[in-house]
Structure formats: structure tokens, C-alpha cells
Amino acid sequence: MNSHNQLSARFNTQEIVEKDKAHFTHPWQIFDTFPEAGALPIAKGEGCHIWDTDGNRYFDAVGGLWCNNIGLGRKEMADAIARQAYELAYASGFVDITNPAAAELAAKLASIAPGDLNHVIFTCGGSTANDSAYRLMHFYNNKRGKRDKKHVISRINSYHGSTYIAMSIGGKPGDKSPAFDYEDKLIHHVGCPDYYKAPEGMSEPEFVDTLVREFEDKIIELGGAEKVMAYFAEPVMGAGGVIVPPEGYNKRMWESCRKYDILYVSDEVVTAFGRLGHWFASEAEFDIQPDIITCAKGLTSGYLPLGAAIYSDKIAEVVHETGHGDCFTNGYTYSGHPVACAAALKNIRIMEDERIFDNVKETGPYFRAQLETLLDLPVVGQVRGRQLMQCIEFVKNKETKELFPEDLDIGKRIANNADPKGLIVRPLVNLNIMSPPLIMTKEDVDFVVKVLREAILETVEELRDEGHFGEHHHA
């Protein structure tokens, strides 16, 4: 019996979908359409592929959610997880208890993180890593006697998680539902480093100058070094549209932070653990030394939930040398969870043993080059990204970069047309985002690009039939 028949015989898809609709509130669930559309139930994963409960096979070009770095269904990962669960399924990480896996992983992270980032707060994921970083910086500044130094600067279109503070720090307008509340007195947003949207005629260096000047003006407006605590930045912006900043931008923003005694938090939840071909991208790709790096996702390749905030000796010298009885009251029941830490250690070992970063550096440029062949299509405005983190932006008019109306949701239409052809990409209004497993091959790239071309052409015909653009658009 093949996989298709095995899965369809084992699962009742309709029953699963109905139970899901009735009881599972999904992240980013769209309440008006969900009761009719439902969710796609995924039942199996192997390597870069996933299968639904009807046995249909898909190439997962999203890599789960930027996280299935070593691929799914690895027996050695399952064995390591099972072995640790049998030996020690849980141990508290509070106060004065640890476990071997947590201690080994903390030491390993300190050894691969850049510079003096030698101290680790374990969390349950990326959102909580940013939340803990935020609280750590309060602790640090209060212990320095700088209780007014609390303002945070982030960027428009950034994404930093969905806890109350992490979502407040994020700057994606589409995530800021008016039905939720946000911290807005101490958190501020400056411009997005998206050169594709820069004013016409402005050079890249001029664009960088403008962004850095805006940042420093905001620092001064908020009260300068006495008031501004931190700057949160993804080295390459992920959920905000895979925005690769112009050359020199990250370094100059980091230098401005140094100038004003502002802590630089590099949110590497997406970019760490090989997505760009390195353990971490901050120093290796952009020559910056953050005060804190937050990470999750690729840390375990999604096999188990785990995040971390890795912080510097400079911060440790203050927060560790405090008054008698001072207590760092931040952490989680699952901080340093032994099974999650064992999964991370095995995941890191696999990346080392199989030289997975070499594959990223070889396959990444080929992926980009092949995606760029889609630029001949009438709605493909830009292909952007770095290594195995890529994005296509769809436009109504290539010359003016005019977008389709948001409610048309062209990215979702293209993704929907790719699904039956065996490809899953992530739609985001006018974008299709891809972050495939790091074991992707050149043959996989060819499949992805071929199916994307077919799905885009199919969508173009639908849009033309609906009268969304004139006759000058031809495939």
C-alpha cells in the first residue's frame, strides 16, 4: 500500500477538519473565512516533503514556518528525543537545578555565538526569547541606576513575535489589529530598509543615509542616551517580506547604537542555524556584534519548541553582580527542558556532521538565480532574499511598482494554484515567501520554480478574465 492509500485509509479527513474548525483557534486565524475554508491537515513529513491526511504529497518550500532546517522524519532525531524522554523527561530549570542537556546546549551556544555572547536564557520559542530579552534589559538598566532608560526602537514591517511586548515591538501594520492593545508609549518604529520602495532617483547610499539619520533623530527626540534602552532588528527581515537591507545599513545602525549606549538586539529567530549559511548572520553576514541575539526555529529544526536569548559579558557583569538576594524573576516552567535541549544538541550535530551550511551556500545562489527567471512574467516585480530565504513580490504595474488591491490577495491566489501541483509557498498579500529546508537540492529548486511559473501564469489568466488589468499584460 503506497503513502497515499495508507494515509487516506488511516485518517478521516472530513472528521479532522470539522473537529479542528470547532475547537482549534489557530495563530492568525481569519474568523470570517475559516468556517468555510477550514485548514489543511498535515499527517506526515519526510525530508523536504509533507503529506496531507488524504495522502497528497507537497514540497514544503516554507520549511514548516522557517524552521524545518534539517528536514523532517529523521530517525536519529526521533531516537535522541525518545532516549532523553525515557531517561529524564523533565527537570525544573528554576534557581539551583539544571540538567546535562541544558548545560551542554548553553555551552554550545556560547561557543558558536559571536564575540562575548556567553550567557543563555532558555525560552519556549522566539516570542518569549524577545520577551525575556526585553525584561533582561530592564533589569540591566535599573541595576545601572538608569531607570529612565526604557524606550525601544524597532522598524516598520519588522516582526518579533506575538506576546504582548513582542507584538508591540513588531512593526507590521497587518499584524496590528485594532481589536488588540499594544504598548505604544515606550516602543517606537522607524523606516523599513526596503530599497525597492525608496523614492525614485535615490541611490542606495543616499537611502541608507536617510534611514540612519531618521534613527538618530528619533533617538534624540526621545531623550538620547539617557532614555533609549534598545534597538530590535532582524538582520534580514523575515515575515515583513524578506527585506535584505542595503549594503552598510546594519553596520551603521549598530554604530549609532554604540554612540548612544543603546543595546542592540539581533532577532535571529529566522536567520540563525543555517538559513543564510552560518550559525548566526549578525557578524558572519553583516559584521555586527549584538549585545543580545534571540533565536528559536532552526535551533531544533522545529522538532520541539525551544528558544534562547544569548547575551553578552557586558550585560552579565551588571546583572550577575547584584546586591544580596537579587533575583532574576523571569523564566518558564520549560526553560532548559531536557528533551528540547537534547533535540537541539542532536540538530546542531547533524548540521555539523553533514556540512549542511555548505549545501546552503551552493544551493542558495542557484535558487535565487532560478527564481529570477520568473521576472519575465507580467506580475513579478521583484525577487529578493539571501540564500535559502527568498521572496517574490507581485505588482500590477512593473514600471510604477503599483500593487494589486490588498483584498485581491494575489499571493494567496498563486499559493492556492500551487497547492494542487504539489507545492506549498507562504502567501502574504502581494508576496510569496520561501524558506525551504536547508537540505534542498538543485532538482528541488527546478521543481519549485517550474510549479511557481505555472501557478503564476494560471493566476494571471484569472486576473485578466476578471478585468484587473489591460491588454498590455501578456504572459
Side-chain angles (χ1 to χ4, degrees):
M1 190 181 277
N2 63 31
S3 283
H4 184 282
N5 292 335
Q6 284 177 338
L7 291 170
S8 58
R10 182 178 163 196
F11 296 105
N12 182 328
T13 297
Q14 189 57 40
E15 188 177 290
I16 292 167
V17 169
E18 290 308 318
K19 286 179 178 176
D20 184 86
K21 283 182 186 179
H23 303 292
F24 182 7
T25 302
H26 292 254
W28 272 254
Q29 184 167 318
I30 302 169
F31 290 109
D32 58 345
T33 58
F34 189 77
E36 183 183 345
L40 176 67
I42 302 302
K44 179 185 174 185
E46 185 178 312
C48 298
H49 292 88
I50 54 177
W51 285 257
D52 65 24
T53 49
D54 287 330
N56 298 308
R57 179 177 183 257
Y58 308 87
F59 184 90
D60 180 15
V62 191
L65 198 62
W66 317 90
C67 63
N68 290 339
N69 289 14
I70 61 169
L72 295 169
R74 282 182 170 262
K75 185 177 185 301
E76 62 267 52
M77 282 295 286
D79 287 346
I81 289 165
R83 188 163 51 247
Q84 182 62 59
Y86 181 72
E87 188 169 83
L88 178 66
Y90 176 78
S92 167
F94 273 53
V95 189
D96 58 359
I97 298 175
T98 191
N99 65 79
E104 288 290 341
L105 180 59
K108 183 65 176 178
L109 293 177
S111 75
I112 60 177
D116 69 342
L117 297 179
N118 290 315
H119 311 273
V120 181
I121 299 169
F122 284 121
T123 70
C124 306
S127 299
T128 45
N130 282 319
D131 214 291
S132 286
Y134 183 83
R135 292 206 62 209
L136 173 69
M137 292 186 293
H138 279 189
F139 194 85
Y140 169 75
N141 278 319
N142 290 343
K143 286 296 168 185
R144 292 200 298 157
K146 296 182 177 291
R147 287 191 167 270
D148 291 335
K149 195 171 170 63
K150 295 292 162 59
H151 288 276
V152 167
I153 299 174
S154 175
R155 298 173 298 179
I156 295 164
N157 278 332
S158 63
Y159 180 78
H160 297 289
S162 67
T163 61
Y164 178 70
I165 282 299
M167 181 57 83
S168 298
I169 294 170
K172 281 180 64 185
D175 287 344
K176 295 295 178 79
S177 164
F180 282 101
D181 292 336
Y182 308 93
E183 167 57 55
D184 57 6
K185 294 180 179 62
L186 293 172
I187 295 172
H188 316 270
H189 298 89
V190 293
C192 173
D194 182 1
Y195 183 60
Y196 186 61
K197 306 292 194 317
E200 191 174 352
M202 181 180 281
S203 70
E204 264 192 54
E206 288 169 340
F207 184 54
V208 172
D209 287 344
T210 300
L211 292 169
V212 173
R213 188 161 52 248
E214 179 196 12
F215 181 51
E216 295 208 350
D217 286 348
K218 177 59 72 174
I219 293 167
I220 292 163
E221 175 197 324
L222 294 172
E226 295 307 307
K227 299 287 188 180
V228 182
M229 173 176 78
Y231 170 61
F232 276 76
E234 306 150 271
V236 173
M237 295 170 80
V242 189
I243 307 298
V244 181
E247 187 176 351
Y249 165 85
N250 280 343
K251 184 70 174 282
R252 287 186 59 190
M253 296 291 272
W254 175 77
E255 288 167 348
S256 293
C257 288
R258 286 289 171 275
K259 177 177 166 185
Y260 288 97
D261 183 31
I262 293 167
L263 294 172
Y264 192 111
V265 183
S266 194
D267 180 339
E268 293 223 39
V269 171
V270 169
T271 55
F273 300 99
R275 182 62 46 199
L276 302 186
H278 316 278
W279 292 118
F280 300 98
S282 298
E283 183 184 54
E285 287 281 313
F286 299 104
D287 192 28
I288 59 172
Q289 176 58 56
D291 298 289
I292 302 174
I293 286 178
T294 54
C295 58
K297 295 189 184 293
L299 175 55
T300 67
S301 284
Y303 275 75
L304 284 174
L306 184 66
I310 312 169
Y311 63 97
S312 67
D313 288 343
K314 179 181 85 172
I315 294 173
E317 283 167 10
V318 173
V319 301
H320 295 190
E321 299 297 324
T322 55
H324 177 71
D326 273 342
C327 183
F328 184 62
T329 56
N330 176 257
Y332 313 92
T333 300
Y334 301 115
S335 293
H337 192 287
V339 185
C341 290
L345 285 165
K346 187 63 176 179
N347 175 62
I348 289 169
R349 174 62 63 84
I350 288 169
M351 289 184 177
E352 291 173 330
D353 289 350
E354 298 184 9
R355 301 179 66 87
I356 281 176
F357 297 172
D358 289 350
N359 186 62
V360 173
K361 290 169 184 172
E362 183 180 343
T363 309
Y366 182 74
F367 189 32
R368 173 60 174 271
Q370 295 309 110
L371 286 173
E372 285 180 345
T373 66
L374 301 174
L375 285 165
D376 67 322
L377 297 176
V379 295
V380 176
Q382 188 189 35
V383 173
R384 60 175 178 259
R386 192 166 285 191
Q387 303 294 33
L388 294 186
M389 183 178 179
Q390 297 290 335
C391 175
I392 301 173
E393 180 153 358
F394 302 105
V395 294
K396 187 174 182 179
N397 185 307
K398 286 194 178 194
E399 285 70 40
T400 65
K401 302 175 186 174
E402 178 193 356
L403 299 175
F404 287 93
E406 211 168 285
D407 57 4
L408 187 72
D409 214 355
I410 185 173
K412 178 65 173 166
R413 282 190 176 213
I414 291 166
N416 286 350
N417 284 331
D419 283 351
K421 306 177 197 302
L423 173 67
I424 291 183
V425 295
R426 185 182 182 188
L428 200 67
V429 191
N430 293 294
L431 311 175
N432 278 172
I433 290 172
M434 285 155 283
S435 52
L438 308 185
I439 57 171
M440 183 189 210
T441 66
K442 290 182 178 178
E443 291 74 21
D444 293 330
V445 169
D446 293 341
F447 172 79
V448 169
V449 175
K450 172 180 172 290
V451 172
L452 266 176
R453 177 174 287 276
E454 293 170 2
I456 294 167
L457 286 171
E458 196 174 319
T459 306
V460 166
E461 287 309 311
E462 292 171 3
L463 294 174
R464 185 176 289 116
D465 290 346
E466 294 168 20
H468 287 289
F469 40 51
E471 288 303 311
H472 66 284
H473 282 82
H474 290 293

